[in-house]
Amino acid sequence: MATTQKTESALLSKVWNIANVLSAAGVGFTDYITQLTYILFLKMDDEKESMGLKSYLPEGCKWKDLSSLSGDDLVEKYEEILKELSKCDGLIGTIFTKATNKLYRPVMLKKVIDMVDEDNWYMMEGDLKGAIYEKILEKNGQDKKSGAGQYFTPRALISAIVDVVDPKITETVADPCCGTAGFLLAAYEHMKPQSKDVEKQKFLKNNALYGADNTDLVVTLASMNLYLHDIGVKKSPIVYQDSLIDTSDKMYQVVLTNPPFGTRPQGSVDVSSNRPEFIKTSDNQVNFLQHIMSIVKTGGRVGVVMPDSVLTDGGSTAKVREKLLKDYNLHTILRLPTGIFYANGVKTNVLFFEKGEPTKDIWVYDYRTGVKHTLATKPMTREHLQDFVDCYCVGHMDGRKETYDAETDPNGRWRRFTAEEVSKREDLNFKWIDFTEEDDRTVAEILDEMQEEAKNILYSIKVINNRFGLLVDKDYSESENFTAIYSISELQMQLSDNLTTLKSKLIDAAIQGKLTEQLPEDGTAEELYQQIQEEKQKLIKEGKIKKQKPLPEISDDEIPFDIPANWKWVHLGELFEHNTGKALKTSDQNGQLLEYITTSNLYWDHFVLRDLKKMYFKESEIDKCTVKKGDLLICEGGDIGRSAIWPFENEMLIQNHIHRLRSYGNFICVRFYYYGMWLYKHTGKINGVGIGLQGLSSKRLHSLVVPLPPLAEQKRIVQKLDEILPICERKIK
């Protein structure tokens, strides 16, 4: 029995040491933390009973029945206890939801039990034991192999969200996909100091919080997390439930959550069959947004993490967005950087809205552009978000003041978009900051850095191999062992960044004429330009295309870089016949019912042609909406500027958010301008202005200033890029 009480750091050290031993024996950290949860609960129940307090565990399922055993008897008894406790009601049943043993080797199970037995846990202050458990969960979230990070939202972000939503001690707070209960715990800690009234405190502990998750492991961890903070001691606020098929009428005053993204797992119950009132979609995040909208009370407040797609996608997502703006006041958006979640590269936002009034102005805080965080070396802290919290003006939102100013501070991070501006937009992907910095490294210097990063990755792999006894060499220190696990992901991110920079440099060099030779036999771009214009005039006379309004002369200010003497600067609209597709009109049922593609089918350099929709096309509409092999298609909405060349013999129809560019005759290598669009989209290098708030209208697309090389050189440039770029990455994304 325990006789001493260790400090937080000492207990954490003990937990890590046991984790390392078990890991070496093949027990993952997630399995370890789950078993530690079960064993801790049994131990604390025993400590309560020794103090004269009532135990709610059935006889034969207590610490005393387990701790004195060893060998196979220990494993058998442990498994028997888990099976019985998983059948219990209330808190016990919740913590032991679908409990199974993962510590099959008696010596490993005994080691964990002995470690727990050395200390008093129940009498430890709630803040201390809770803090220890939170750190254990955070460590568990870093276990990428197990995928546990999907259940863990950075505590710095949670703290900032809770601070601005400001739940009150008399309010109910829900998280319908609660993970390890980080939001609920932060809300509790925020509300607890607000009043010393006994009844309010009782309500807070027993009735204010509600969480749900459809993963038994998570329900166990979340319930234990709250229990160790003395919340829900008799009945856990956490339930094992799939919130998306929940049809209860429970509603809450505050909802705080970070739902899972992507599509529902295979075999899951179809959401639309249980929730016919939802706009039908297969996207988890959009369904969760609808669920959240349905469970918040009128006047209630929401803080929810959502991916960019919720703000940009068309179809059913756009319909949900329209409903959100109509019936809810989406007053604030926080744009988040990548590198703060355990899933790399996810672009997310926090949406803050209230139920009961339509959206008017939207305030946006851009904490993404120019911001870089990594989980190991530069994690996001609460201090990083303090400026956003200050700008939010909790309790006096009418006192908000922009830090953005078009003249004095165009890169101010806090900006108001008026109701009029919002109403004119097709999406809510607000961008205005431009921190474009010229990377002055040469291609050779980037390759040198990448080679060094690759060497460091190989070194880290060797250290980790050594850590698990796979190599004979044991000359690595514990600090190297510990650091190596994190360094690989960091190095991979650096390598990925350099690959993207390298692609940009190569395409940049190609578009400027620095990747290929200029040969006299190629002729000049001026000669090619005249041929294109002659072909254009011929098509106009034949009535195959309409005459266009002349574009203005290109000024020196519009030219972003020097090009070879035999090239020419032109407007993109002078090189291609241009059309957009048909706008979706559900009331229009004249013509033929035909399949069409939208921006959701168009990816960089390829198409995904599944779940195609149909609408009615009149005979007079079909030609201008038809895509033929070799046409360049460009997104007007969604991921603005994303481009691909139609590669199929079969023709297809397009919706109005796609631009179709078709060359006049065979005087253009269309793929050269696909690469030009990639450069424009990612760096703004073609005409010096990136694609921003205005979107890519037909007028703007026509007026893009682009270089025109001789046709033979266009083809050589494309051939070289097509050879080099796949070595960097399979596809440009």
Side-chain angles (χ1 to χ4, degrees), residues 123-138:
M123 287 302 293
M124 194 186 303
E125 290 181 11
D127 289 346
L128 179 58
K129 64 189 178 189
I132 293 169
Y133 200 74
E134 275 290 289
K135 285 184 171 62
I136 293 170
L137 293 179
E138 184 169 5

Side-chain angles (χ1 to χ4, degrees), residues 171-179 181 183-185 187-188 191 203-214 222 226 231 235-257 291 295:
E171 293 182 313
T172 52
V173 180
D175 183 346
C177 32
C178 65
F183 275 108
L184 297 179
L185 180 57
Y188 172 81
M191 295 186 285
F203 172 80
L204 176 59
K205 282 199 172 189
N206 300 316
N207 302 104
L209 307 179
Y210 166 81
D213 209 286
N214 64 350
L226 295 183
I231 306 167
K235 181 182 178 182
S236 174
I238 311 298
V239 297
Y240 176 61
Q241 175 179 281
D242 185 344
S243 292
L244 290 183
I245 59 172
D246 171 36
T247 55
S248 71
D249 57 359
K250 292 181 180 177
M251 301 184 76
Y252 307 90
Q253 287 151 312
V254 175
V255 180
L256 304 165
T257 190
H291 176 66
I295 65 172

Side-chain angles (χ1 to χ4, degrees), residues 616-674:
Y616 288 91
F617 288 85
K618 298 175 185 176
E619 194 65 34
S620 59
E621 296 170 329
I622 290 178
D623 185 58
K624 88 178 202 66
C625 298
T626 297
V627 178
K628 297 180 179 180
K629 186 175 182 180
D631 288 348
L632 177 62
L633 303 187
I634 303 169
C635 287
E636 179 190 45
D639 184 11
I640 299 167
R642 188 171 59 206
S643 309
I645 297 171
W646 188 252
F648 308 110
E649 296 293 341
N650 293 341
E651 296 179 354
M652 178 56 71
L653 297 166
I654 53 174
Q655 196 188 22
N656 63 322
H657 294 310
I658 297 178
H659 295 287
R660 184 203 74 189
L661 297 185
R662 181 176 295 162
S663 62
Y664 299 116
N666 297 313
F667 301 108
I668 291 292
C669 179
V670 178
R671 191 159 176 79
F672 176 83
Y673 290 97
Y674 158 75

Side-chain angles (χ1 to χ4, degrees), residues 574-710:
E574 296 175 298
L575 303 180
F576 293 93
E577 177 199 346
H578 168 256
N579 267 314
T580 55
K582 178 180 178 179
L584 178 61
K585 295 179 181 177
T586 54
S587 60
D588 183 0
Q589 296 190 3
N590 296 318
Q592 300 179 58
L593 187 62
L594 301 171
E595 287 185 330
Y596 65 94
I597 61 171
T598 70
T599 55
S600 62
N601 303 113
L602 196 167
Y603 292 75
W604 276 112
D605 208 20
H606 70 289
F607 297 85
V608 177
L609 302 179
R610 60 169 179 256
D611 301 325
L612 294 182
K613 298 178 182 178
K614 293 183 178 181
M615 67 174 160
Y616 288 91
F617 288 85
K618 298 175 185 176
E619 194 65 34
S620 59
E621 296 170 329
I622 290 178
D623 185 58
K624 88 178 202 66
C625 298
T626 297
V627 178
K628 297 180 179 180
K629 186 175 182 180
D631 288 348
L632 177 62
L633 303 187
I634 303 169
C635 287
E636 179 190 45
D639 184 11
I640 299 167
R642 188 171 59 206
S643 309
I645 297 171
W646 188 252
F648 308 110
E649 296 293 341
N650 293 341
E651 296 179 354
M652 178 56 71
L653 297 166
I654 53 174
Q655 196 188 22
N656 63 322
H657 294 310
I658 297 178
H659 295 287
R660 184 203 74 189
L661 297 185
R662 181 176 295 162
S663 62
Y664 299 116
N666 297 313
F667 301 108
I668 291 292
C669 179
V670 178
R671 191 159 176 79
F672 176 83
Y673 290 97
Y674 158 75
Y675 281 124
M677 284 307 305
W678 190 94
L679 188 68
Y680 175 50
K681 166 72 174 177
H682 289 80
T683 69
K685 257 299 184 68
I686 286 183
N687 69 344
V689 181
I691 299 172
L693 285 172
Q694 302 92 333
L696 193 57
S697 65
S698 295
K699 181 178 179 181
R700 202 154 182 241
L701 187 66
H702 281 203
S703 62
L704 286 183
V705 176
V706 297
L708 175 66

